[in-house]
Amino acid sequence: MTTAEDLPLGARSGNALISCCRYLGNLFYPRDLAVFYPHPGHWPLAWVLLAGGLILGVTMLVVMGRRRYPFLLAGWLWFLVTLAPVIGLVQVGGHSMADRYTYLPLIGMLVLVVWGAHALAKDRQHTWATLFVALSIAIFLCMALTRQQLRHWTDSEALFRHALEVTKNNYIAHNNLGSALDEQRQTDEAIRQFQEALKLEPDYADARRQMNAVLALKQTAPLTSP
């Protein structure tokens, strides 16, 4: 657990608001997904205020429409309440968010979307046809995006190289990529990745331990003739 001295409540609260919006964005537009999202420390105040305003605005809308569309409030509250324990107010680890935390919370958003579509199409014949076409397109896009995402999980090297492409200051990805390269006997590149990890997080003991081990093996390795 991260202490309040390392990451004060204000920084954790700001990250919680922005992460909530990022989770929603990844549901409807799953782009730049990564195995690890490093915590930035402090988000720009404008972004935090914008995220807070968005969450507050959606909450007010579903509360006002609760009598006519009670499923909107139910789905939204499901999302917020089940996400609250893992939103980062109590910081565990160095991540700002994690896609695995949304497995249960996004059920509420899907309830909101599905019931909303039903209410929209109720007793409207042509709307049902439109929704059927939209659903077919959505399923096709999900299949295509899943196929694309699976390419990043072929092995550890591909996984962490992709994480470095779509995130910034990702010391975990550098360290784990170094481990994968070390297993492939790419010693020099592995050392470079460990050095990048330590440049971003000088106190990262795992990266320092692995780099020292690789350097020791490199120094004791027998020389080969040219």
Side-chain angles (χ1 to χ4, degrees), residues 9-221:
L9 180 60
R12 284 177 276 149
S13 300
N15 180 71
L17 292 173
I18 289 181
S19 295
C20 186
C21 294
R22 292 176 72 188
Y23 286 137
L24 291 175
N26 286 344
L27 170 63
F28 297 104
Y29 187 47
R31 182 175 178 270
D32 292 345
L33 303 180
V35 67
F36 181 81
Y37 302 93
H39 201 296
H42 294 271
W43 290 95
L45 180 59
W47 291 20
V48 174
L49 294 176
L50 183 61
L54 177 61
I55 295 171
L56 180 61
V58 173
T59 302
M60 292 178 63
L61 287 175
V62 298
V63 169
M64 289 188 297
R66 68 187 183 281
R67 294 189 181 276
R68 186 175 182 182
Y69 304 111
F71 54 85
L72 296 179
L73 180 60
W76 183 244
L77 288 180
W78 176 296
F79 172 72
L80 293 180
V81 171
T82 56
L83 190 60
V86 292
I87 199 60
L89 293 176
V90 177
Q91 184 68 29
V92 179
H95 56 271
S96 63
M97 55 182 281
D99 295 330
R100 64 184 181 276
Y101 289 160
T102 63
Y103 296 161
L104 286 179
L106 289 184
I107 292 176
M109 295 306 302
L110 294 177
V111 167
L112 188 153
V113 171
V114 172
W115 282 61
H118 177 269
L120 182 65
K122 190 176 182 181
D123 300 327
R124 298 179 186 177
Q125 182 178 358
H126 296 293
T127 306
W128 278 113
T130 303
L131 286 176
F132 177 78
V133 173
L135 178 61
S136 300
I137 294 174
I139 292 175
F140 174 79
L141 290 175
C142 285
M143 292 172 61
L145 290 170
T146 299
R147 187 173 184 272
Q148 179 183 10
Q149 187 67 20
L150 287 175
R151 293 204 301 265
H152 305 313
W153 289 79
T154 53
D155 53 49
S156 295
E157 181 180 353
L159 178 64
F160 293 109
R161 285 196 185 278
H162 174 69
L164 290 174
E165 290 175 3
V166 300
T167 62
K168 296 179 180 180
N169 302 324
N170 199 331
Y171 62 95
I172 293 288
H174 279 296
N175 177 67
N176 290 2
L177 177 58
S179 297
L181 293 171
D182 179 43
E183 292 177 358
Q184 300 173 28
R185 300 295 187 267
Q186 299 183 40
T187 305
D188 292 335
E189 178 61 16
I191 292 173
R192 191 180 74 81
Q193 293 299 328
F194 293 137
Q195 290 174 337
E196 289 295 324
L198 290 171
K199 186 184 300 183
L200 295 170
E201 191 68 23
D203 296 330
Y204 190 23
D206 192 36
R208 190 170 300 279
R209 176 186 60 79
Q210 292 194 83
M211 186 178 70
N212 290 339
V214 173
L215 287 172
L217 287 175
K218 183 179 180 180
Q219 292 174 355
T220 58

